[in-house]
Amino acid sequence: MNKKQQGFVPSTLGESLDALGSLAPKSKAGQFRLLLPAIEAKIREGVGHAAIIRALQEQGLKFTEGTYFNYLQRYRIGVAIAAARHAAPQAEVSGAARTSTPSVSPDSSGDAGRRPPTFDYDPRGIPDLLK
C-alpha cells in the first residue's frame, strides 16, 4: 500500500508543500495562468501569438484568440500592479531617507504664501461673448 491508499496525512511542512505542489488546476484559466511566464518568455523571443495559441490547443487548452489576449492582458496588468506595489514602499523609504523637511524662509516682500487677487467677471456684460 502506498501513502495515498493509507489515508496519508502530511506531518511536516515540506510534505505539505510537496502535496500542494502536485495538485494541478482544473480550470482552463488556472492552467493558462501556470503557463503565462513561459508564454511571455516565448513572446520576448519572437514567437508569434498564433503559434502559441496553436501549441496551447495541441496541449488541450482550446480557447479563442480573444480569450487568449484577454488572459494575457489581465496577467500583464497584474504583474504591473504587483511591481508597482513592490516598488512603492521602497521608493517611500528611500525618498524619506534622502529628503528632509524643507525649511520655509519668508520672502523679502512678505507675499510668499499669499494668493493673487481675484476679480469679478460677468460675461453678460459683453454681449459679443455669448454669441
Side-chain angles (χ1 to χ4, degrees):
M1 283 184 137
N2 65 22
K3 292 179 182 178
K4 231 181 210 180
Q5 292 171 339
Q6 294 175 353
F8 172 69
V9 176
S11 61
T12 65
L13 180 61
E15 289 176 350
S16 297
L17 291 175
D18 289 341
L20 285 174
S22 66
L23 297 175
K26 294 180 181 180
S27 68
K28 283 184 189 181
Q31 293 171 0
F32 187 74
R33 240 178 277 124
L34 285 177
L35 297 172
L36 277 167
I39 290 170
E40 284 286 354
K42 289 296 180 185
I43 292 169
R44 282 190 299 274
E45 291 173 10
V47 177
H49 292 286
I52 293 171
I53 293 171
R54 271 195 309 276
L56 291 171
Q57 288 176 347
E58 290 170 4
Q59 297 298 319
L61 281 174
K62 297 181 181 190
F63 40 75
T64 65
E65 187 176 316
T67 302
Y68 164 81
F69 283 112
N70 189 2
Y71 286 164
L72 191 60
Q73 181 182 12
R74 287 181 183 183
Y75 172 75
R76 288 174 175 170
I77 289 171
V79 168
I81 290 171
R85 284 183 183 159
H86 181 69
Q90 292 176 353
E92 289 174 10
V93 170
S94 64
R98 270 188 282 142
T99 61
S100 62
T101 307
S103 61
V104 178
S105 60
D107 201 1
S108 61
S109 65
D111 295 336
R114 209 170 108 172
R115 193 173 165 189
T118 58
F119 58 92
D120 293 325
Y121 176 72
D122 185 7
R124 291 177 289 177
I126 306 172
D128 292 338
L129 282 178
L130 298 176
K131 289 183 183 180

